[in-house]
Amino acid sequence: MAVGIAALSLILLMLAAYRGMSVILMAPLLAMLAVFLTDPSAVPAAFSGLFMEKVASFLKLYFPVFLLGALFGKLIEISGFSRSIVTAVIGFVGAERAIPAIMLVTALLTYGGVSVFVAVFAVYPFAAEMFRRAGIPKRLVPATIGLGAITFTMDAMPGTPQIQNIIPTSFFGTTTWAAPVLGLIGSACIMGMGLAYLGWRRRVLMAAGEGYGAPETLVNEPEPVADEERTPAIIAILPLLVVGFGNLALTVLIPRIWTEEEVSLSMAGLAEPVSVKVAQMAALWAVEGALLLGIATILLFAFRTVAKRFADGSKAAVGGALLAGMNTAVEYGFGAVIAALPGFLIVKEALKSVPNPLINEAITVTSLAGITGSASGGLSIALAAMADQFIAAGDAAGIPREVLHRVASMASGGMDSLPHNGAIITLLAVTGLTHRQAYKDIFALTIIKTLTVFIVIAVYYLTGLV
């Protein structure tokens, strides 16, 4: 019965997300339903003392990253830099190589700090035009964009400023550059297998006589990309480089600048000093500082262009950051409530029967990400409930916490991309395709991504590489 209550809440949350209901509304309602079915008198304390406390703690840590990331992505868009980058990469790779070109430019944008939602809108017009010219079936566009945006650049590439790579830092005391060798190996596997799969699908579909698509059946077709004066590519790509190298530099410099364990703030108006643990915040400060440097770089080179649309653009960025941040925060609070239920404790004990710490972690994280349809949400739920268990098992087995970080991060981006995932729904809506038309190929990438986590685990055990 206890396990059933926890499972019921998780399943109902998955169904609610699949039907397009607001997670911000449904997560607290379903969390409190689970508490009510367990102990009705505990609902007020569970809501105010546990759920809302966890929501607030998540936003306190991560909302600046959501906000700065959304603003950076919006400025890349309205400055015209994203269009310049796309055009330059396509010109470099070659228009005849449509699939690797679109994958590469999307990966470049997302690894540079642009959110997947912004990247989809920026890349889709070019992807549609290239696929149409090459006669490649349009149904492969979402999977091609997805390969660049929601696989290796989201959580495998060391240093990526996406939230799925940042969340583990506060649990494991690591940085976004954790386990760089394993991250690069995992990225190479995903990229290689993903391109091989999409190339095979292209050949099969075209051999069967399927082209881009009949004009009367196409939906949300973009206008042809016009030739216009654009920012030189070297300037357009500079903010992405600044974010990447800035993140690396600040990751190294911050612990050297603040050598003590805590930084304290003492002011006349404070009853007592406010202290912040450097180890917990260093990775977040590094990403936030890098995004600020990236924003400053855009303003330096495109101030006049950005100024014309900054008011509306910044409002859209703030709205997007609030929505994304709150969605993940309430899932974190939901996870904390579920983790406190007797039924989850039974599941937690059952998972201990998986003897290998890394496989245990991977299965737990990717399962919860799949259930919630959110990499960041599933990762938050898993680490909020079981990070201490993962650390204890890892320490006992002599596994570096960097490896725990990389496995957890990569596992979150595996089964999360089930049909109810918000990014998948957005990707299909933007490209004008349905799940029936295009999801099969996205799911193939989901399988590749999930398998790669276990390949990385095997590489670690066979070689000891970190």
Side-chain angles (χ1 to χ4, degrees):
M1 180 65 178
V3 174
I5 291 173
L8 176 65
S9 293
L10 287 168
I11 292 169
L12 289 176
L13 182 62
M14 178 176 67
L15 292 174
Y18 183 76
R19 291 183 173 275
M21 298 180 188
S22 171
V23 173
I24 297 173
L25 174 64
M26 298 307 298
L29 289 177
L30 293 174
M32 293 308 104
L33 173 64
V35 175
F36 179 81
L37 294 175
T38 303
D39 180 2
S41 65
V43 170
F47 178 74
S48 299
L50 180 57
F51 179 84
M52 289 306 301
E53 283 290 330
K54 291 298 182 180
V55 169
S57 67
F58 183 92
L59 292 173
K60 173 184 172 182
L61 283 174
Y62 302 115
F63 182 69
V65 176
F66 281 99
L67 179 60
L68 292 173
L71 181 59
F72 176 75
K74 179 56 69 173
L75 294 184
I76 283 282
E77 178 189 344
I78 65 178
S79 65
F81 283 10
S82 61
R83 173 163 287 198
S84 296
I85 292 167
V86 171
T87 304
V89 171
I90 291 172
F92 176 75
V93 176
E96 70 281 0
R97 300 184 180 90
I99 290 177
I102 295 302
M103 184 276 296
L104 182 60
V105 72
T106 311
L108 184 64
L109 289 172
T110 51
Y111 187 65
V114 177
S115 77
V116 59
F117 299 99
V118 173
V120 169
F121 284 100
V123 174
Y124 171 55
F126 296 88
E129 183 170 337
M130 290 183 70
F131 276 50
R132 181 169 49 245
R133 288 181 182 178
I136 302 172
K138 185 185 178 182
R139 69 165 75 189
L140 296 180
V141 169
T144 303
I145 295 176
L147 178 59
I150 57 174
T151 58
F152 61 97
T153 56
M154 188 174 79
D155 51 47
M157 283 290 288
T160 178
Q162 300 297 331
I163 194 68
Q164 294 81 5
N165 189 43
I166 297 172
I167 289 173
T169 63
S170 58
F171 289 95
F172 297 126
T174 50
T175 72
T176 55
W177 299 89
V181 176
L182 292 178
L184 289 172
I185 291 172
S187 297
C189 289
I190 296 165
M191 190 188 310
M193 289 190 289
L195 286 174
Y197 171 79
L198 290 174
W200 170 75
R201 281 285 288 162
R202 171 186 179 175
R203 291 190 298 272
V204 169
L205 292 173
M206 293 179 72
E210 182 173 343
Y212 180 74
E216 64 274 11
T217 65
L218 299 175
V219 180
N220 284 7
E221 279 297 284
E223 293 294 325
V225 180
D227 291 326
E228 58 184 35
E229 184 178 349
R230 298 190 182 95
T231 306
I234 189 63
I235 294 177
I237 203 172
L238 189 59
L240 305 183
L241 297 175
V242 167
V243 172
F245 286 108
N247 183 18
L248 179 59
L250 291 172
T251 298
V252 174
L253 288 175
I254 287 173
R256 295 183 180 180
I257 295 172
W258 289 281
T259 55
E260 60 274 21
E261 291 186 3
E262 294 186 350
V263 177
S264 297
L265 171 67
S266 298
M267 289 187 173
L270 295 174
E272 56 185 31
V274 175
S275 296
V276 177
K277 293 183 178 180
V278 175
Q280 185 185 43
M281 298 300 300
L284 289 167
W285 289 343
V287 173
E288 291 161 8
L291 287 170
L292 284 170
L293 291 173
I295 291 168
T297 305
I298 298 171
L299 295 177
L300 178 65
F301 288 98
F303 180 80
R304 290 185 179 179
T305 304
V306 169
K308 297 174 184 177
R309 300 172 59 190
F310 182 80
D312 290 336
S314 60
K315 287 178 184 177
V318 170
L322 284 168
L323 181 61
M326 279 301 299
N327 275 333
T328 310
V330 297
E331 287 173 341
Y332 183 65
F334 176 86
V337 172
I338 297 300
L341 297 175
F344 191 85
L345 295 179
I346 296 172
V347 174
K348 185 176 178 180
E349 289 299 316
L351 284 171
K352 289 182 179 179
S353 63
V354 180
N356 187 286
L358 294 180
I359 293 178
N360 185 325
E361 181 185 44
I363 291 173
T364 301
V365 172
T366 201
S367 298
L368 289 173
I371 289 169
T372 59
S374 167
S376 53
L379 181 62
S380 299
I381 290 173
L383 294 185
M386 304 179 72
D388 291 341
Q389 178 179 315
F390 297 150
I391 289 171
D395 289 349
I399 298 171
R401 295 189 184 181
E402 287 192 1
V403 178
L404 293 173
H405 170 132
R406 187 56 55 210
V407 168
S409 183
M410 288 185 65
S412 75
M415 297 307 293
D416 74 304
S417 51
L418 292 179
H420 57 294
N421 175 274
I424 301 302
I425 293 170
T426 299
L427 180 56
L428 293 174
V430 170
T431 56
L433 293 163
T434 65
H435 280 78
R436 183 184 295 251
Q437 292 171 307
Y439 183 72
K440 173 183 176 181
D441 298 304
I442 297 174
F443 184 70
L445 298 182
T446 300
I447 298 299
I448 289 171
K449 181 69 168 58
T450 304
L451 289 175
T452 302
V453 179
F454 296 97
I455 292 174
V456 166
I457 292 172
V459 169
Y460 168 73
Y461 281 122
L462 289 172
T463 67
L465 292 171
V466 175

